[in-house]
Amino acid sequence: MSSVKIWIDADAAPQDVKQIVFRAAKRLDVETVLVANRPLSVPPALTMVRSVVVREGADQADRYIVNHSEVNDIAITADLPLAGDLVEKGVFVIDPRGDEYSPDTIASRLSMRNFMDDLRGEGMVVGRSSPYGETDKKAFAATFDRLLTKALNRK
């Protein structure tokens, strides 16, 4: 089994993302860990995939991933503060829509997130992101494949 691990912030990860990761984990024999506040089912045939249940509470899954991930691991999350902590640690981070968070981009993304939170708090911005679709799935698959290849070549 590879020394690279794949971490999924799994409470809100789309099923399509999990399926893409599961196929790669099986093909390349890469340990994959789903971290969530509730039990998640893992296909029994995928012995390299496991689920970790953390206790209820804000940021428990995030803390678990930060505490257990290592340099060159890959993490999948839409949580920008978690992404910031992981990028700082040297983990490759991708969101479910295929955006890579890197040392070059994370500060501006966190700044924009905080700005938008302030606007929402004042009632100036409402709305949500678009539904997860085929374009997002393809973008995720392409970025994930590139980052996984990069991580495996470094270990």
Side-chain angles (χ1 to χ4, degrees):
M1 190 174 299
S2 166
S3 60
V4 170
K5 286 184 185 168
I6 301 169
W7 299 90
I8 302 177
D9 183 8
D11 282 318
Q15 191 61 33
D16 286 339
V17 165
K18 293 175 194 170
Q19 292 305 315
I20 290 166
V21 172
F22 291 169
R23 283 193 298 273
K26 181 178 181 182
R27 184 179 74 247
L28 300 169
D29 198 23
V30 176
E31 183 177 356
T32 301
V33 185
L34 286 80
V35 183
N37 292 6
R38 58 186 166 77
L40 298 173
S41 62
V42 175
L46 299 178
T47 58
M48 73 294 301
V49 178
R50 64 186 170 97
S51 176
V52 172
V53 179
V54 295
R55 61 186 169 94
E56 290 288 326
D59 302 326
Q60 293 300 315
D62 299 359
R63 281 191 207 115
Y64 186 92
I65 294 170
V66 169
N67 290 336
H68 292 86
S69 61
E70 297 179 6
V71 173
N72 288 331
D73 283 352
I74 297 175
I76 298 145
T77 185
D79 184 305
L80 279 169
L82 171 59
D85 291 343
L86 293 169
V87 165
E88 187 176 304
K89 190 174 180 177
V91 174
F92 293 106
V93 185
I94 180 174
D95 86 348
R97 294 180 185 268
D99 291 328
E100 177 184 358
Y101 301 120
S102 70
D104 298 331
T105 63
I106 195 65
S108 63
R109 289 180 185 237
L110 283 166
S111 178
M112 180 58 80
R113 173 202 176 264
N114 293 339
F115 175 69
M116 295 303 289
D117 278 352
D118 289 345
L119 290 178
R120 275 190 286 279
E122 295 181 20
M124 298 176 77
V125 175
V126 292
R128 298 187 163 266
S129 59
S130 59
Y132 192 81
E134 195 62 31
T135 302
D136 300 310
K137 180 180 171 181
K138 287 179 182 177
F140 173 79
T143 305
F144 175 70
D145 183 57
R146 180 177 54 80
L147 290 179
L148 182 56
T149 300
K150 191 175 185 179
L152 290 170
N153 287 332
R154 284 192 180 177
K155 287 265 179 157

